[in-house]
Amino acid sequence: MKLTRGKIPLEKKQVAKVVTFFGIASIVAIAAAVLRLGILTDETFENWYAYLMVAVGILFFTAAFLTYLLQTRRVLFKSPKILCATGTAIVIVFVVNIFLSHISLFLMPAYLTAFIVAPLVRRRVAFVSNLFANFLITFVLLAQYLQAPYFVDIYAVLSMFLVGIALGSIAAYTISVDVRRFHYIAKGFIIATIAYFLLISLHFSFAPTVNFDIFWIAAIGVYSPIIVGMILQPMFEMIFNLITNSKLVEITDHNHPLIKRLREETPGTYNHCLTVANFAEICATEIGENPYLARACAYYHDVGKLANAVYYKENQGDSNPHDDLLPEVSADIIRSHTYEGLKLCEKHRIPAEVKNVTIEHHGTLPIPVFYNKAKNFTDSDVDISEYSYKGKTPTTKINAIIMICDAAEAAIRSMTNPDAESVDKLLSALINERITQKQFDNCDISLKELNIIKHTIINVFGGLYHKRLKYN
């Protein structure tokens, strides 16, 4: 059974996993909030309505957050680990902030959520997560007013809310794409410095009494997210096996064991992967996808050819071993590189977002060379499914890009005198063939994006395959 809306189908169990996790996270947050409110009074349940309001409010904000994700970021539900990591970060930040507020409101790292999740998720998700965390924190702090009005500094609460929202939003949109730690620290320091002076200004402008301790307390509160974020981000990456730009740079290093094997054992496939990566990176950028992920998928999509390297054209010399094989045997060998690639990626703990491309970049397409060869061997009908790939059709835009770029690179390389017009016709035929055979039905790529990909490849082709001048 599937929940469908638009082009992104979701399994009910995928939604159930995320909802269950956030339900548990809400219970943890409610328990922490109740404990925090209880600290303010001698009788823990003196004002029961305050606790009820907090519980209902936390559940309401959680439901609103999940509804937003379900309506606008459905693709995240296909990878529950991302949402679980985000939810865990929000709960940790929420608990840390409300308990630090007991010491001083200005000690709270209000925008810590953005520093943790920005390198792990898309910018908008980091922005909304930070927004959600700050609403929860502010809601609970204002609820304290019902418990102990004398204890709550409304000006300070609102100041921290403003700083948390404003600077957290900046952090979400500026540090998410950085793969170098220095840039993370530098941008974080700039953001924290802005936050510090903003907080000091708000305090001296609106606070009924002036507290000079704010200078060192606020410094701890605004600068600590940089250090804590740097510590927690790689921990989240490891615990939840998340794929970040830093991780993608790491696994595309040419000294990575699998990439090194490709370079040394299958130089033809290795060069093919590099060229596909050139195409895919630029295509991904043009349609708003992650170019680091596109490059990683391109590098790994054909690693399965390590198992039978000589049976693939780019690794052959003058002889072709398929000449002495039955077409059904050849088809089995050729399509085996998809699941052989998946096994190799799993062995080397390559993240799912990359390893899935091994079985998706050919989808369920036929292998025409051996299908036609089989038809020439017999007068009876030949079942085309026996000469087709047994993989899955692309489930992401990136994998759809790799499917197109992989076929395009091989086809362009085989052309005698390729030019822009002939490449345009070739790519149009390749894309239309895949649309007709329903290869893009399981991903949300649009016709407009497919057209952008086609023209991007043509432009890149002009740079990679241009004619060179002869020098005497």
Side-chain angles (χ1 to χ4, degrees), residues 31-53:
V34 169
L35 181 60
R36 174 67 185 88
L37 293 178
I39 292 174
L40 299 177
T41 58
D42 295 330
E43 297 293 333
T44 304
F45 295 95
E46 180 179 314
N47 295 325
W48 61 269
Y49 54 85
Y51 298 101
L52 179 61
M53 183 184 74

Side-chain angles (χ1 to χ4, degrees), residues 83 88 105 194 219 268 288 347 353 387 411 443 446 452:
L83 290 179
T88 301
L105 289 168
I194 295 172
K347 179 181 177 181
E353 291 85 347
Y387 296 88
C443 65
S446 67
I452 291 173

Side-chain angles (χ1 to χ4, degrees), residues 335 366 371 374-375 378 380-388 390:
R335 65 187 169 205
Y371 173 64
K375 285 171 57 177
T378 179
S380 59
D381 291 335
V382 177
D383 186 357
I384 194 169
S385 66
E386 294 299 319
Y387 296 88
S388 298
K390 308 296 184 183

Side-chain angles (χ1 to χ4, degrees), residues 263-315:
R263 186 177 72 241
E264 294 176 353
E265 299 175 29
T266 58
T269 298
Y270 172 73
N271 284 309
H272 162 72
C273 291
L274 293 183
T275 306
V276 172
N278 285 330
F279 285 148
E281 275 189 89
I282 302 175
C283 288
T285 302
E286 290 299 315
I287 66 170
E289 292 295 305
N290 188 339
Y292 294 102
L293 179 56
R295 179 173 63 180
C297 288
Y299 276 21
Y300 285 89
H301 79 283
D302 269 349
V303 292
K305 291 181 178 180
L306 286 165
N308 296 291
V310 73
Y311 288 92
Y312 300 92
K313 186 66 177 176
E314 67 268 23
N315 300 314

Side-chain angles (χ1 to χ4, degrees), residues 3 10-21 66 70 74 77-78 80:
L3 300 172
L10 291 179
E11 297 287 346
K12 281 189 175 181
K13 62 181 180 180
Q14 293 172 327
V15 178
K17 284 181 181 178
V18 175
V19 172
T20 300
F21 175 84
L66 287 175
L70 193 58
R74 290 174 63 85
F77 284 80
K78 287 182 172 290

Side-chain angles (χ1 to χ4, degrees), residues 70-82:
L70 193 58
Q71 294 298 318
T72 65
R73 290 292 178 268
R74 290 174 63 85
V75 70
L76 291 176
F77 284 80
K78 287 182 172 290
S79 183
K81 63 182 181 178
I82 296 177

Side-chain angles (χ1 to χ4, degrees), residues 125-326:
V125 177
F127 166 77
V128 176
S129 298
N130 177 74
L131 197 69
F132 173 50
N134 275 277
F135 270 113
L136 282 180
I137 294 165
T138 305
F139 176 74
V140 171
L141 293 179
L142 291 177
Q144 292 180 10
Y145 194 79
L146 297 176
Q147 288 286 80
Y150 57 85
F151 191 81
V152 180
D153 184 346
I154 296 295
Y155 293 103
V157 171
L158 296 178
S159 295
M160 293 308 299
F161 176 72
L162 177 61
V163 170
I165 294 296
L167 279 302
S169 299
I170 295 173
Y173 278 92
T174 56
I175 69 174
S176 61
V177 296
D178 282 327
V179 295
R180 287 172 286 187
R181 298 298 182 192
F182 174 77
H183 284 185
Y184 179 95
I185 295 172
K187 290 181 179 179
F189 183 82
I190 294 172
I191 292 169
T193 301
I194 295 172
Y196 180 76
F197 285 106
L198 177 60
L199 202 56
I200 296 295
S201 300
L202 289 170
H203 175 71
F204 284 104
S205 298
F206 301 108
T209 59
V210 176
N211 179 8
F212 289 96
D213 287 341
I214 187 180
F215 286 107
W216 67 269
I217 294 175
I220 296 174
V222 298
Y223 287 102
S224 60
I226 305 171
I227 300 172
V228 177
M230 284 191 64
I231 295 172
L232 291 183
Q233 184 260 317
M235 291 176 62
F236 272 63
E237 180 183 306
M238 179 181 66
I239 293 170
F240 292 96
N241 194 25
L242 296 176
I243 190 158
T244 64
N245 288 346
S246 298
K247 178 72 172 179
L248 291 169
V249 169
E250 177 187 326
I251 66 174
T252 52
D253 187 291
H254 287 214
N255 288 317
H256 185 281
L258 272 181
I259 305 299
K260 188 175 181 179
R261 280 192 64 191
L262 270 182
R263 186 177 72 241
E264 294 176 353
E265 299 175 29
T266 58
T269 298
Y270 172 73
N271 284 309
H272 162 72
C273 291
L274 293 183
T275 306
V276 172
N278 285 330
F279 285 148
E281 275 189 89
I282 302 175
C283 288
T285 302
E286 290 299 315
I287 66 170
E289 292 295 305
N290 188 339
Y292 294 102
L293 179 56
R295 179 173 63 180
C297 288
Y299 276 21
Y300 285 89
H301 79 283
D302 269 349
V303 292
K305 291 181 178 180
L306 286 165
N308 296 291
V310 73
Y311 288 92
Y312 300 92
K313 186 66 177 176
E314 67 268 23
N315 300 314
Q316 293 170 1
D318 295 330
S319 62
N320 185 346
H322 289 290
D323 293 340
D324 301 321
L325 298 176
L326 293 173

